[in-house]
Amino acid sequence: MDETRGKESRERDNRKGNSQRHEKELMGRKKERFDNLEKKTRGKKNQQPAQPQKKEEDTIKTITLPEKMTIKEFADRMKVQASVIIKKLFLQGNIVTVNNEIDFATAEEIALEFNCICEMEEKVDVIAELLKEEDEDEAAMVKRPPVVCVMGHVDHGKTSLLDAIRDTHVIDKEAGGITQHIGAYMVECNGEKITFLDTPGHEAFTAMRMRGANATDIAILVVAADDGVMPQTVEAISHAKAAGVEIIVAINKIDKPSANIERVKQELAEHELIPEDWGGSTIFVPVSAHTHDGIDSLLEMVLLTAEVCELKANPRRNARGLVIEAQLDKGRGSVATILVQKGTLKVGQPIACGSCFGKVRAMIDDKGRRVKEATPSTPVEILGLNNVPNAGEIFVCTDSEKEAKSFADTFISEGRERMLEDTKSRMSLDDLFSQIQSGNIKELPIIVKADVQGSVEAVKQSLMKLSDEEVMVKVIHGGVGAINESDVSLASASNAIIIGFNVRPDAMAKATAEREGVDMRLYKVIYNAIEDVQAAMKGMLDPIFEEKVLGHAEIRQIFKASGVGNIAGSYVLDGTFQRGCKVRISREGAQIFEGDLASLKRFKDDVKEVRAGYECGLVFDGFNDIQELDVVEAYTMVEVPR
């Protein structure tokens, strides 16, 4: 028994000893691991100061950002949590959510704290990209006929001259000798062709130029020898110069006894059109549409000018050109008169034209014949578009109908955005300074209209003197008379500001200016205009205040109060009367007082406002001569945002 007990106790001691040894071993291993870990950590600690610097240098990122974006989009681009950015803005005093928009400048500031360098995203003009041209191969270029437009004052014989050139009688079909049908015709001279656009004056330029394309190469300016330079003649010169086309002067009606060619030359020299025989560079050709005198020499001069301009195009490519006019025909559908400028257009080809598209079903030339193809500088009527395009729209021939449709769809969606952008970016004196600051503007185009020629010249001279090293003031047109639609369309095409003296815009001009977003300024004193332009260039235009009528009240009873004067017990008829507003008092339709409202009461309490249908007590500043039934109008001056 004792033996057994002794055996058990020995076994217990052995087990105890084993476990103690085991524990010691474990402790030893743990200590070893801990020491190794400490060594490693110590080693890392010693290396640490140099490491973050390296890491920081490695992680400087460059990101591209749009002009405006939501905080969520910004965070995604930087690959950080949106909450981090919201916190930063919150600490700056801006309470925002992930859907709030921030501008590029704010984003750039925040991004720098996250080692991100920001670059502004370049806006791609989708329509410009679609219409972008490849560089033409010089070897494939061939000579093309010149495109000529006839301009001038009404009744100086533009259509008669075209009539004489074409030997047809379009003028017989026109009411009052005013061109109604817009068309294009081809004539032949010395075996070479010339295309004439028969358009009402400036349309060939402005409508096309507003879409960034030039329709014509040469402008023939018709001036009557017995009449001389007239307002529309000056207008035509401005349009042609703004479009940058060559001008040939045709002095018409030389068969009349009162014709004075030298006077016409003298008057045109004042508008920088100096004849060749006076040492200038403008070609002058005396003609008579009536007797057909000088017509041939005029056409020869057109061909000579065209040769100097070296007009060339590549006929072996997809066609491209301009819409001169378009209308909806009862029997034929959408009919567009187009001018092919490059390539060759063939029947059956898919075509895209602005927001319209289709297949060329048929082509009719200027003589009414059906043709299969049209080469550069050829005007034709085409059928087959799904809609009526705008005059001046660029058409392109595509490889497939699907491509033409997608072109038109893109044009529609982009057109909407562009319209909004255009409205914002139209030149106005109010935002002139900010545009100068951002370097967007190098010259300020201005159109001057006044009641007398003397004023026009005086203003032109004064405004041109305002040019400085940052911006050049350029008067692109000056004329006498009311501001008309032609002035507005020139301003719109040239992004100009119209300044008028003692003249008003006519109804059509006003509507067009509003639609196109053209800035029109009317003055009675020359110096005010000069001061305004000068102030705008320095960014110091005074704010404009506009009157806002708040409401009307009728005086029903008068109370006398010592130390206050008369209190008008009034009934508010409409609107609201506010404390501190301005008032006008009228008696039987005649105004008797205009000034400040000194106090506004309801019973005995001063109040902030009294609405329609309630009674109130009014005290007028420095005016007590009131009677019952006087009408009080309350108004305030509000600053109009520029």
Side-chain angles (χ1 to χ4, degrees), residues 21 58 63 76 145 321 350 377 432-433 464 529 564 576 582 594:
R21 266 199 309 278
D58 290 348
I63 54 171
D76 290 346
S377 295
L432 175 64
F433 181 66
M464 280 154 85
V564 177
T576 310
K582 291 186 175 295
E594 184 169 1

Side-chain angles (χ1 to χ4, degrees), residues 528-558:
N528 291 355
I530 293 157
E531 280 166 15
D532 264 14
V533 175
Q534 210 162 14
M537 285 166 75
K538 290 176 186 163
M540 297 189 306
L541 268 182
D542 294 331
I544 302 174
F545 287 95
E546 209 173 66
E547 188 182 288
K548 184 188 174 191
V549 175
L550 298 171
H552 296 86
E554 189 179 64
I555 298 176
R556 299 270 170 98
Q557 209 173 346
I558 296 162

Side-chain angles (χ1 to χ4, degrees), residues 292-316:
H292 289 207
D293 275 355
I295 299 287
D296 287 340
S297 57
L298 177 65
L299 295 181
E300 280 163 17
M301 286 304 157
V302 168
L303 291 172
L304 185 71
T305 308
E307 211 167 297
V308 173
C309 296
E310 290 185 344
L311 305 171
K312 287 182 177 181
N314 177 8
R316 291 183 190 84

Side-chain angles (χ1 to χ4, degrees), residues 19 29 107 129 142 160 172 187 269 273 293 489 537 550 600 613 640:
S19 70
R29 276 189 213 141
E129 283 296 311
V142 295
S160 307
D172 300 344
V187 297
L273 292 181
D293 275 355
S489 57
M537 285 166 75
L550 298 171
L600 176 67
V640 180

Side-chain angles (χ1 to χ4, degrees), residues 555 557-570 583 585 587 592-599 617-628 630 632:
I555 298 176
Q557 209 173 346
I558 296 162
F559 307 98
K560 286 185 167 43
S562 57
V564 177
N566 288 348
I567 298 172
S570 311
V583 290
I585 304 173
R587 190 174 296 158
I592 55 168
F593 169 74
E594 184 169 1
D596 294 322
L597 183 67
S599 84
L618 307 174
V619 178
F620 307 111
D621 194 8
F623 185 74
N624 283 318
D625 187 16
I626 47 177
Q627 291 179 15
E628 287 177 17
D630 283 353
V632 183

Side-chain angles (χ1 to χ4, degrees), residues 247-378:
I247 300 173
I248 295 175
V249 179
I251 304 173
N252 196 15
K253 305 188 183 180
I254 54 164
D255 52 316
K256 286 202 170 182
S258 54
N260 186 343
I261 294 171
E262 290 306 307
R263 192 190 88 183
V264 173
K265 286 183 177 178
Q266 180 65 54
E267 286 175 355
L268 285 170
E270 288 167 21
H271 295 281
E272 295 165 28
L273 292 181
I274 297 151
E276 285 184 316
D277 50 343
W278 288 17
S281 59
T282 309
I283 298 171
F284 279 65
V285 185
V287 294
S288 166
H290 186 59
T291 63
H292 289 207
D293 275 355
I295 299 287
D296 287 340
S297 57
L298 177 65
L299 295 181
E300 280 163 17
M301 286 304 157
V302 168
L303 291 172
L304 185 71
T305 308
E307 211 167 297
V308 173
C309 296
E310 290 185 344
L311 305 171
K312 287 182 177 181
N314 177 8
R316 291 183 190 84
R317 51 159 285 173
N318 273 351
R320 173 194 178 94
L322 290 169
V323 176
I324 296 163
E325 64 142 353
Q327 78 264 359
L328 203 58
D329 192 286
K330 205 172 174 182
R332 301 186 295 169
S334 170
V335 181
T337 305
I338 60 163
L339 175 71
V340 180
Q341 290 180 310
K342 294 173 178 177
T344 303
L345 185 66
K346 294 172 184 167
V347 174
Q349 283 186 323
I351 182 174
C353 178
S355 54
C356 315
F357 69 96
K359 234 178 192 175
V360 181
R361 283 211 319 270
M363 268 197 285
I364 299 113
D365 72 1
D366 55 313
K367 311 221 171 29
R369 299 172 304 202
R370 286 211 164 206
V371 288
K372 290 272 182 251
E373 58 179 45
T375 51
S377 295
T378 308

